[in-house]
Amino acid sequence: MSEEGTEVAGGKHVVPEGVAVEELNGGKKKLSKKCPPALLTLLDHKDLLEIYDAMVEAVVAESNTRGTFGKWHDKEFDSIVDIYREDFAMKGVRVALCKRKSADGTRRWLEFIDIDMLGDTYVPQYDVANYSGQAIRTVFTKLEFPKGVAVEELKQYGNARTRLKEKIPAHVQDMMTKKDLMTEYQALVDHCAEAGVGKKFKSWNITKLKEVISAHADVFEKKGVSIFVSHKQEYVSHGQSGHTEYFRWIEFVDREAQPNYHPQRDAETKGEDCVIS
């Protein structure tokens, strides 16, 4: 990946310098026995080794943090992390339990954020405690979105263009109202419905949608909102044959709440001629 920092989630995500990571891919035994070198350095520098050890010990001791088949339980795990968050924060470190889902599976990790280095300029976008409840459900996975990101799905079937113009999702409406962007939003929606489709079948065309988003990006940016068109495609096998399902959506990002957020499936970096995991 081109970003500088530490790769996590099998290389699908990068955290910047100033964030130490502990991936949760080896169960309780690995968590209790092995601390990554970069994290150990940060904890030692911040005099947090004792607090970290206590948190890990509590996670390991609590039976409900991990299921019978080895799956971490996010709510129970994060409830223990929450007990120690203030202790970490008092010494300049924020802690977040993060989770990213894809067709390849679910990846979890802990982020230890050096506040002295990053301040409020970094927000972990996969923080399970900061999810908004919005989700895009595909055939094989569920993509979840944090607070500060509003999502408008572009349905594949039915009269999608009419539905786009007639109904606004609650999270999008709240953000547009807060940022005084309702007029600009309506212009964007109208333009998507008119110019974001193919000539013959009038289905969504990702190349044209990117052009539409680009044409409107500046007016949203001036009011603190970034806009992206995202997509994912999945091949569904029927034995000797199959078909491809397409999922497309627009993301509105409040840069005050999500200063470093980048879409998981940004159409600018992921072409539609490949299957995206």
Side-chain angles (χ1 to χ4, degrees):
M1 300 181 73
S2 59
E3 301 99 323
E4 293 184 1
T6 302
E7 291 187 359
V8 294
K12 296 291 181 70
H13 183 58
V14 174
V15 299
E17 184 180 356
V19 179
V21 172
E22 181 156 26
E23 298 208 58
L24 302 172
N25 55 7
K28 290 184 175 182
K29 184 176 181 180
K30 181 179 178 181
L31 179 64
S32 63
K33 297 293 184 182
K34 189 174 182 181
C35 180
L39 174 56
L40 190 60
T41 299
L42 175 64
L43 295 172
D44 186 45
H45 175 67
K46 297 285 188 177
D47 191 25
L48 279 167
L49 285 169
E50 186 175 338
I51 294 172
Y52 167 81
D53 286 342
M55 182 184 74
V56 169
E57 185 177 331
V59 170
V60 172
E62 174 54 61
S63 60
N64 290 332
T65 55
R66 197 163 170 88
T68 305
F69 299 103
K71 178 183 176 182
W72 290 108
H73 292 166
D74 300 328
K75 184 178 179 180
E76 289 77 9
F77 194 123
D78 195 59
S79 68
I80 292 177
V81 173
D82 196 49
I83 295 171
Y84 296 89
R85 278 198 172 95
E86 187 174 347
D87 294 325
F88 278 95
M90 287 178 65
K91 295 192 175 184
V93 173
R94 292 201 310 271
V95 185
L97 171 63
C98 298
K99 177 176 70 174
R100 185 185 189 278
K101 289 184 177 181
S102 75
D104 297 331
T106 300
R107 307 272 187 151
R108 291 176 175 83
W109 65 93
L110 288 167
E111 293 188 17
F112 297 82
I113 303 156
D114 188 340
I115 299 172
D116 294 330
M117 180 178 291
L118 294 173
D120 295 326
T121 64
Y122 175 77
V123 175
Q125 72 179 67
Y126 295 105
D127 182 357
V128 300
N130 198 40
Y131 278 143
S132 64
Q134 299 171 95
I136 299 289
R137 295 181 181 274
T138 71
V139 178
F140 299 117
T141 192
K142 174 185 175 184
L143 304 176
E144 299 177 272
F145 300 89
K147 296 173 184 176
V149 177
V151 180
E152 178 128 21
E153 188 169 5
L154 304 174
K155 295 291 187 179
Q156 183 176 353
Y157 302 108
N159 199 346
R161 292 189 299 155
T162 299
R163 282 187 291 173
L164 175 64
K165 297 177 71 171
E166 290 180 347
K167 187 175 182 180
I168 177 172
H171 287 274
V172 176
Q173 184 171 17
D174 289 346
M175 185 183 294
M176 297 305 103
T177 301
K178 175 185 175 183
K179 296 291 186 177
D180 190 26
L181 277 167
M182 196 60 75
T183 299
E184 292 87 344
Y185 165 80
Q186 195 57 58
L188 171 65
V189 165
D190 290 343
H191 197 183
C192 282
E194 293 167 6
V197 296
K199 290 182 179 180
K200 185 176 181 180
F201 297 107
K202 300 299 181 183
S203 58
W204 299 117
N205 181 294
I206 201 66
T207 299
K208 293 185 176 182
L209 284 169
K210 287 193 293 184
E211 293 172 356
V212 171
I213 294 297
S214 179
H216 291 260
D218 286 348
V219 296
F220 281 83
E221 287 286 355
K222 288 177 181 178
K223 294 187 177 181
V225 174
S226 298
I227 55 174
F228 302 90
V229 61
S230 296
H231 68 154
K232 189 178 192 295
Q233 65 185 65
E234 295 174 342
Y235 182 77
V236 182
S237 176
H238 307 301
Q240 294 183 342
S241 63
H243 74 281
T244 300
E245 290 282 348
Y246 296 87
F247 304 89
R248 303 179 180 93
W249 62 95
I250 300 171
E251 297 184 31
F252 300 88
V253 183
D254 181 347
R255 285 306 184 191
E256 186 177 358
Q258 290 288 342
N260 53 274
Y261 178 88
H262 189 77
Q264 302 174 54
R265 315 287 174 180
D266 184 12
E268 289 293 342
T269 58
K270 293 182 179 291
E272 197 166 38
D273 58 346
C274 64
V275 176
I276 304 169
S277 63

